Amino acid sequence: EAQVTQNPRYLITVTGKKLTVTCSQNMNHEYMSWYRQDPGLGLRQIYYSMNVEVTDKGDVPEGYKVSRKEKRNFPLILESPSPNQTSLYFCASSSDRYYGYTFGSGTRLTVV
Amino acid sequence: SQQGEEDPQALSIQEGENATMNCSYKTSINNLQWYRQNSGRGLVHLILIRSNEREKHSGRLRVTLDTSKKSSSLLITASRAADTASYFCATGANSKLTFGKGITLSVRP
């Protein structure tokens, strides 16, 4: 089944403790992206990648890092999480930056 | 930057009625897409319309695009209770896909 898999689904962590949210797709998509969703703000793009080793900032990149060492994986790294990064995170992939995206099921992160 | 803005913010209709949702945007786009999100879950791609297209259909969905007015509409015909969800428009431009804040659609049985 074609899908984008995110892990974990839920995570509660403490301020400053580094964490990684994994994202993997099995569709051989070149384009991958991370979004965060907050009430009243909709979805905002954090980072995106157009291919292996090619990443770029979205609209809200501060406090996040990404890497794209393999085509299928696009992990999101929070080096020092803060409470304002409490949010619902989505990874998405597409065969092209302008085609329809396939979304993962989301990761609900709480930073206390 | 938030590109698309949906209107209305919330819509409540009776099952069987048609639902019309609108999206306006500010800058030139490559395409415009509509997505559905059931509560707390991942978004599902519904339909894509390119900037050189004016209308597109997919099942009970009809989307229009007016680039001169920088606006789009999504029509869901013969709505069902299962259509209850949030709907987002997203604009493709500058190598990115930018989402609006969404419309909450409630379909009463």
Side-chain angles (χ1 to χ4, degrees):
Chain A
E1 181 189 350
Q3 59 186 356
V4 175
T5 303
Q6 289 179 234
N7 280 298
R9 289 291 311 276
Y10 301 92
L11 180 59
I12 300 175
T13 190
V14 296
T15 299
K17 186 176 181 182
K18 181 180 177 180
L19 66 92
T20 300
V21 183
T22 63
C23 173
S24 181
Q25 50 94 2
N26 62 359
M27 296 164 282
N28 201 36
H29 283 169
E30 291 190 349
Y31 192 89
M32 297 185 75
S33 185
W34 276 102
Y35 289 85
R36 61 177 288 175
Q37 184 176 26
D38 302 288
L41 297 176
L43 281 92
R44 294 178 292 167
Q45 190 176 48
I46 304 170
Y47 269 95
Y48 63 96
S49 169
M50 287 199 270
N51 213 325
V52 175
E53 302 292 3
V54 181
T55 63
D56 207 348
K57 296 177 181 177
D59 296 316
V60 288
E62 295 78 21
Y64 304 95
K65 282 175 56 176
V66 293
S67 68
R68 188 92 183 270
K69 294 187 172 61
E70 309 162 278
K71 201 170 189 178
R72 62 183 293 125
N73 296 323
F74 190 45
L76 179 69
I77 302 155
L78 285 74
E79 294 269 2
S80 182
S82 63
N84 65 11
Q85 293 178 298
T86 291
S87 187
L88 179 58
Y89 291 86
F90 288 103
C91 180
S93 74
S94 174
S95 56
D96 181 272
R97 64 191 187 274
Y98 291 144
Y99 287 1
Y101 284 16
T102 300
F103 275 79
S105 299
T107 295
R108 190 168 290 279
L109 172 67
T110 302
V111 183
V112 298
Chain B
S1 58
Q2 217 80 34
Q3 168 74 301
E5 279 193 26
E6 297 94 344
D7 171 66
Q9 289 187 339
L11 182 60
S12 181
I13 59 173
Q14 201 75 35
E15 203 165 27
E17 292 180 338
N18 295 340
T20 299
M21 291 169 270
N22 303 301
C23 173
S24 60
Y25 57 92
K26 295 188 173 67
T27 62
S28 296
I29 60 172
N30 176 283
N31 67 58
L32 187 141
Q33 305 177 29
W34 286 91
Y35 288 78
R36 183 187 74 231
Q37 182 183 35
N38 290 92
S39 181
R41 306 190 68 171
L43 281 75
V44 174
H45 179 253
L46 295 176
I47 195 166
L48 179 154
I49 186 165
R50 301 188 194 285
S51 59
N52 61 353
E53 297 175 313
R54 292 295 166 259
E55 186 172 315
K56 207 161 180 181
H57 296 253
S58 176
R60 294 185 295 115
L61 305 179
R62 171 179 169 254
V63 64
T64 61
L65 180 65
D66 186 335
T67 52
S68 66
K69 294 181 180 176
K70 291 187 168 59
S71 67
S72 171
S73 67
L74 174 68
L75 170 68
I76 303 175
T77 59
S79 63
R80 306 165 182 166
D83 294 327
T84 293
S86 294
Y87 291 81
F88 294 84
C89 74
T91 50
N94 301 320
S95 299
K96 299 196 299 184
L97 194 63
T98 305
F99 288 80
K101 295 180 183 179
I103 297 171
T104 301
L105 172 65
S106 298
V107 182
R108 304 186 301 274

